Amino acid sequence: MTTLIDDRRVRARDASPARYFYFHMALACAATAFLGFAPTYFVPLAHRTFSGSPVIHFHGLIFFTWSFYFVVQTWLAASGRVINHRSFGVVGVSLATAMTIFGFLASVHVMKHSAELGQREAGIGFAIVPMSGIAFFAVVFVLAIMNTRKPEIHKRLMLLAAVSILDAAIARWFLTFLAPPGPPGPPPVPVTIAPAVVASLLLVVAMVRDWRNEGRVHPVYIYGTLALLALKVLNWPISESAAWHAFAGGILALAQ
């Protein structure tokens, strides 16, 4: 009886409104992902006008499954179900691994498609964006797993990982409503910087929350956000380098 009472007290403490911040942030990430891809994927898919390879469909399925997984995990943690949260973490490792694999395969598919459109070099240059993005996600996720016994670091790294892959969804709105009509093919690499900045606003919200509650911003947010934005900016010169074109071009040659 004493154990049950203590467990209820722990759950009541852990279920305070402040504990639900990361759950709400996970909901925001999931909503951003869904609304971002709605104009170019979900709506055409519902009208049966979307044409894509199985790799693209599997890629989309796995990434959206991750969004819902992240929501469930943050809810479990916020409601005090820590044991369930940790047990369910094995699913996250499997999902993240699949995301890394299919993220790479989707990048190669886009390069092949660009080559078929006669835009081989543009496709090779743009490949730096999805490949570096999924690499950043994978590294941050591994760091989060390594810090599972340090919850203050772990949960911030997980949010950083979730936000880092939202620029693709936000970019769809830029392309749909702001980009001028043009020939099919990959967009210029520099236009991917603005969506990344918009996605990072979610991290700014988390920083403000840290400042108000803790009196300081956690280093994970400071260094993580700087690293994320630096990566997006550096994609531009790297995409135009001979070294990148040789590297990605070699991958494309093997895939064709």
Side-chain angles (χ1 to χ4, degrees), residues 1-14 79-83:
M1 180 62 71
T2 302
T3 302
L4 289 174
I5 292 173
D6 289 342
D7 183 64
R8 288 172 183 172
R9 285 175 179 172
V10 170
R11 288 195 178 188
R13 180 199 66 201
D14 291 344
S79 58
R81 296 171 172 83
V82 179
I83 294 177

Side-chain angles (χ1 to χ4, degrees), residues 31 33-34 42 47 68 79 81 106 108 121-122 151 166 175 190 203 211 215 217 221-222 226-229 236 243-244:
F34 178 79
F42 287 115
H47 289 93
F68 292 116
S79 58
R81 296 171 172 83
V108 175
E121 295 305 311
L166 290 179
L175 293 173
L203 295 173
W211 182 264
V217 178
Y221 287 146
I222 297 174
L226 289 175
L228 177 60
L229 293 178
W236 186 1
W244 173 255

Side-chain angles (χ1 to χ4, degrees), residues 80-196:
R81 296 171 172 83
V82 179
I83 294 177
N84 301 103
H85 173 84
R86 290 175 178 171
S87 299
F88 203 34
V90 179
V91 177
V93 174
S94 299
L95 271 176
T97 303
M99 288 167 68
T100 303
I101 294 172
F102 277 92
F104 174 79
L105 293 177
S107 302
V108 175
H109 173 78
V110 171
M111 276 200 295
K112 291 175 62 177
H113 181 65
S114 298
E116 292 170 358
L117 294 173
Q119 301 184 41
R120 181 179 183 275
E121 295 305 311
I124 290 175
F126 185 79
I128 186 67
V129 176
M131 287 188 180
S132 66
I134 194 61
F136 185 90
F137 169 86
V139 169
V140 174
F141 181 83
V142 169
L143 290 174
I145 296 302
M146 292 172 61
N147 286 277
T148 52
R149 296 187 180 277
K150 300 176 182 179
E152 294 304 313
I153 296 177
H154 172 75
K155 61 188 179 183
R156 287 173 172 83
L157 285 170
M158 289 299 293
L159 180 58
L160 175 63
V163 171
S164 72
I165 56 176
L166 290 179
D167 57 325
I170 295 172
R172 296 308 188 275
W173 285 82
F174 277 74
L175 293 173
T176 301
F177 298 108
L178 298 178
V189 173
V191 304
T192 64
I193 297 174

